Amino acid sequence: MKKKERPGGLAGLAILNLFRKPATQTAQFGLGGIQKGYRGRLLYDPATCINCVMCMRDCPTGAITIENRGTKEQKDMHAYLDVGRCVFCCQCVDTCPKKCLSCSSDVLLAAFSQDDLKIEL
Amino acid sequence: MSERNDHKVVLPIGPQHPSLKEPGSFKITLDGEKVERAVVEIGYNHRGIEKACESRNYTQDLYIIERVCGICSHAHTSCFCQAFEDMAGLEVPRRAYYIRGIVGELERLHSHLLWLGVASHEIGFDTLFMYTWRDRELVLDLLAQIGGNRVNYGVNTFGGVRRDLEADLMQDILHVCDQLEEKIKYYADLATTETTLIARLKGIGVLTPEDVRHFSAVGPVARAAGILDDIRVVEPYGVYKEIPVNAVTDDHCDVYGRTLVRVKEMLESIRLIRVMIREIPEGPISVRAPRKLPAGETLRRVEAPRGENIHYIRSNGSDMPDRVRVRAPSEANWHGMSYMLEGFQLADVPIIIAAIDPCYSCTDRAVSLSSGRDEQIASWDQLRLFGIEQYKKNGIDPGSIAIRPF
Ligand code: SF4
Ligand code: SF4
């Protein structure tokens, strides 16, 4: 015979849950499992970039774009990364002859729309 | 499920099914509970990896090759890098070989722990599944520390490795080895004494040495039938030229034998890691690699956790390969699958499939749609002549391509 459910039978549990510690690890208290040297979001130093686009040539996914918005003499360098395509291999970091790219261990890169995944470094 | 006129039942399993994590289809003809015929259909995970490699440069290809398999990513890049280094004539520093070896053995540890978990889950021994996957985390954390990622470590590069192993990291590795050794010894003990486990695994999925040769099975499947098929032993490469491996074989020829081989191999991997860390020489970790390869072709073999991994590269002298072929070990082990399933109970099917440690996406390369007519099997010489004709048609002199003997 089917056991009858008491209305509000779970209320006690619900109230108890309000005071419990979260069962999952939340990022807002720090990421526990991310080690030093983890490959995450790239960092870019426009001052040293010589616009050789070697990084773009070696990127396996075509995620990185380097753009000079200024002139040849007056450089205005910008780097864009499509986080949705980047596989965080850091080959661009290895390829860059001027070492103006580096990787950080920032892995919190989720966004709500496709467009928000394209970020400027 | 459909019932035939002779009261035999054809049971389709997959392509999406709860027991294995990747899509693959099995059509099992049952006589009662007994598997009378099994038809394996794979090919749901074809990703066009080889073609993608042919339209990118070698550096980009390295990261595509790394993603052939989500478990043995290091074995694939090791093989690809060795093929590249072979063709470019690069002298890889010894320290790089040792680091590749250490990461390779850690990868074998995590792959075998994963397999042990999956296999125990398939036979309903979920406690062991939880234990082994917990232990695997230790290895994955180490790999993330070494390479910067849990799965695609990105350690290999042409001419060496990308990151050095610091002294304190090596201490961490040794510490984890000590922890794991104790646990794996317990699992080895369990595998040899636990009667329910032995009764469940013994005598199913049999592949005798003759069958292994017939179906060209590789890795632990071959070694469980007593055939010493370990590339680290039969054709040593890299660090294994200096540090010999005690290959593990077994003569049970069944799923139980494959379990024993893998558990014992983990202990051997721990021993190898310890020796490598003790003997690792100082020095540079990489040499500069060229962007282009001279015209020619090469084929290299590496022992991945699942068996022999083969990579073939053909170059036409540019910075992109002309042809890349990846033969992952699972591809060799699938051939005997129908034979292994036939004659056993339906309840044995999941564990027999899991016992080859199947990897579907590694296997799927190309689908051949054939009508059965106008088919012929070409010999290697015929294929060569055909290739030369094709080159001549395209205005290329094939005489300039040096063929390496293998
Ligand atoms: S990390 Fe890799 S995928 Fe991402 S931009 Fe750099 S080269 Fe491209
Ligand atoms: S490789 Fe380095 S220097 Fe060259 S364009 Fe890219 S970021 Fe700039």
Side-chain angles (χ1 to χ4, degrees):
Chain A
M1 209 177 89
K2 200 169 170 249
K3 207 177 140 201
K4 273 200 182 139
E5 285 285 337
R6 264 187 302 122
L10 288 175
L13 209 58
I15 292 167
L16 203 65
N17 271 341
L18 284 177
F19 302 102
R20 279 213 181 121
K21 269 207 326 203
T24 50
Q25 193 179 26
T26 47
Q28 85 212 59
F29 303 121
L31 286 171
I34 301 297
Q35 282 95 354
K36 193 172 93 302
Y38 202 86
R39 285 180 268 131
R41 181 198 165 119
L42 300 170
L43 303 173
Y44 174 64
D45 175 17
T48 45
C49 179
I50 53 168
N51 199 16
C52 66
V53 298
M54 295 271 279
C55 50
M56 285 166 69
R57 194 183 56 182
D58 274 354
C59 175
T61 60
I64 193 164
T65 317
I66 304 283
E67 210 179 289
N68 183 7
R69 295 250 186 95
T71 59
K72 226 174 179 183
E73 292 76 34
Q74 276 278 302
K75 281 202 177 83
D76 178 19
M77 300 304 302
H78 293 267
Y80 301 94
L81 182 71
D82 186 344
V83 178
R85 299 184 73 123
C86 181
V87 292
F88 304 101
C89 61
C90 291
Q91 179 58 44
C92 49
V93 177
D94 287 6
T95 299
C96 178
K98 292 287 162 195
K99 300 281 159 255
C100 46
L101 286 168
S102 55
C103 41
S104 70
S105 31
D106 176 15
V107 291
L108 298 176
L109 296 161
F112 283 107
S113 79
Q114 281 268 319
D115 293 337
D116 291 347
L117 286 173
K118 296 183 182 74
I119 55 172
E120 177 162 6
L121 294 176
Chain B
M1 199 165 88
S2 60
E3 191 164 348
R4 304 189 325 192
N5 286 342
D6 51 4
H7 301 294
K8 291 193 178 144
V9 170
V10 181
L11 184 73
I13 303 180
Q16 302 292 347
H17 46 81
S19 77
L20 294 161
K21 310 297 171 285
E22 288 175 274
S25 167
F26 305 88
K27 287 209 173 61
I28 314 265
T29 310
L30 291 170
D31 182 3
E33 279 287 311
K34 212 172 109 192
V35 177
E36 205 182 74
R37 190 159 175 265
V39 179
V40 180
E41 283 174 10
I42 48 175
Y44 295 91
N45 258 344
H46 178 54
R47 295 172 291 169
I49 276 197
E50 291 173 354
K51 206 68 201 163
C53 286
E54 286 160 24
S55 53
R56 285 170 177 79
N57 65 38
Y58 287 103
T59 316
Q60 291 172 312
D61 289 348
L62 190 57
Y63 298 98
I64 297 178
I65 291 294
E66 188 164 41
R67 282 153 184 81
V68 168
C69 180
I71 313 276
C72 30
S73 58
H74 182 78
H76 280 285
T77 49
S78 296
C79 201
F80 193 71
C81 284
Q82 280 182 30
F84 183 96
E85 285 149 10
D86 188 23
M87 288 181 83
L90 289 179
E91 191 71 45
V92 178
R94 275 181 72 221
R95 190 175 173 87
Y97 275 143
Y98 273 73
I99 296 175
R100 276 185 192 174
I102 293 169
V103 176
E105 292 307 320
L106 282 173
E107 182 179 75
R108 197 177 314 279
L109 268 178
H110 107 72
S111 173
H112 284 357
L113 280 171
L114 174 129
W115 177 83
L116 195 57
V118 171
S120 44
H121 172 68
E122 299 299 354
I123 58 171
F125 192 179
D126 278 316
T127 319
L128 187 58
F129 161 64
M130 304 271 178
Y131 277 4
T132 51
W133 280 48
R134 176 199 62 191
D135 301 343
R136 179 174 169 257
E137 280 306 301
L138 296 173
V139 188
L140 286 182
D141 283 348
L142 268 185
L143 287 166
Q145 254 172 294
I146 295 171
N149 194 295
R150 279 161 60 89
V151 177
N152 298 305
Y153 333 118
V155 167
N156 283 327
T157 187
F158 302 127
V161 291
R162 293 169 71 196
R163 289 196 190 184
D164 202 356
L165 278 185
E166 312 291 339
D168 51 349
L169 191 49
M170 285 199 247
Q171 283 309 316
D172 286 352
I173 297 176
L174 288 177
H175 181 62
V176 168
C177 282
D178 291 343
Q179 281 178 302
L180 279 180
E181 189 178 30
E182 195 186 316
K183 287 170 176 156
I184 293 167
K185 275 192 177 148
Y186 171 64
Y187 303 142
D189 206 26
L190 201 74
T192 43
T193 53
E194 171 65 41
T195 42
T196 44
L197 189 80
I198 299 171
R200 182 70 187 87
L201 301 178
K202 223 173 193 171
I204 59 167
V206 176
L207 213 57
T208 61
E210 294 74 47
D211 301 333
V212 167
R213 291 218 171 81
H214 177 69
F215 293 114
S216 311
V218 295
V221 179
R223 292 199 284 277
I227 294 179
L228 203 163
D229 173 52
D230 189 330
I231 305 304
R232 296 174 297 168
V233 177
V234 296
E235 193 187 308
Y237 53 90
V239 65
Y240 304 109
K241 282 183 187 159
E242 296 177 18
I243 298 177
V245 179
N246 300 326
V248 179
T249 54
D250 192 88
D251 47 15
H252 280 92
C253 306
D254 52 10
V255 177
Y256 182 56
R258 284 160 221 159
T259 312
L260 287 183
V261 165
R262 288 194 178 97
V263 172
K264 287 180 189 163
E265 268 184 14
M266 285 195 271
L267 292 172
E268 175 62 10
S269 288
I270 289 178
R271 185 192 72 84
L272 286 171
I273 292 169
R274 286 198 182 123
V275 177
M276 284 177 203
I277 288 185
R278 198 180 62 221
E279 308 271 318
I280 189 167
E282 290 298 325
I285 55 165
S286 64
V287 290
R288 215 182 141 72
R291 290 196 68 84
K292 293 181 179 175
L293 280 186
E297 58 184 350
T298 191
L299 181 132
R300 288 306 292 245
R301 305 195 288 168
V302 154
E303 185 69 19
R306 291 173 170 80
E308 177 195 43
N309 186 10
I310 303 177
H311 282 226
Y312 166 79
I313 302 180
R314 188 173 65 213
S315 161
N316 53 12
S318 72
D319 65 347
M320 289 187 198
D322 189 34
R323 177 81 173 93
V324 172
R325 172 83 177 98
V326 179
R327 207 295 311 264
S330 295
E331 198 174 333
N333 281 336
W334 273 121
H335 300 300
M337 182 48 76
S338 304
Y339 180 80
M340 271 192 264
L341 290 173
E342 282 159 19
F344 294 99
Q345 304 281 313
L346 177 63
D348 296 334
V349 169
I351 183 64
I352 295 177
I353 296 172
I356 66 161
D357 204 358
C359 200
Y360 297 75
S361 51
C362 302
T363 307
D364 293 344
R365 287 291 168 272
V367 180
S368 132
L369 299 174
S370 84
S371 60
R373 280 177 291 155
D374 305 332
E375 265 186 16
Q376 60 176 44
I377 296 174
S379 71
W380 181 238
D381 289 336
Q382 283 171 315
L383 279 176
R384 271 198 68 72
L385 287 177
F386 178 70
I388 290 169
E389 286 300 313
Q390 285 295 316
Y391 273 114
K392 280 187 181 155
K393 259 188 221 162
N394 297 339
I396 300 169
D397 174 23
S400 65
I401 299 177
I403 306 292
R404 284 160 192 263
F406 53 80

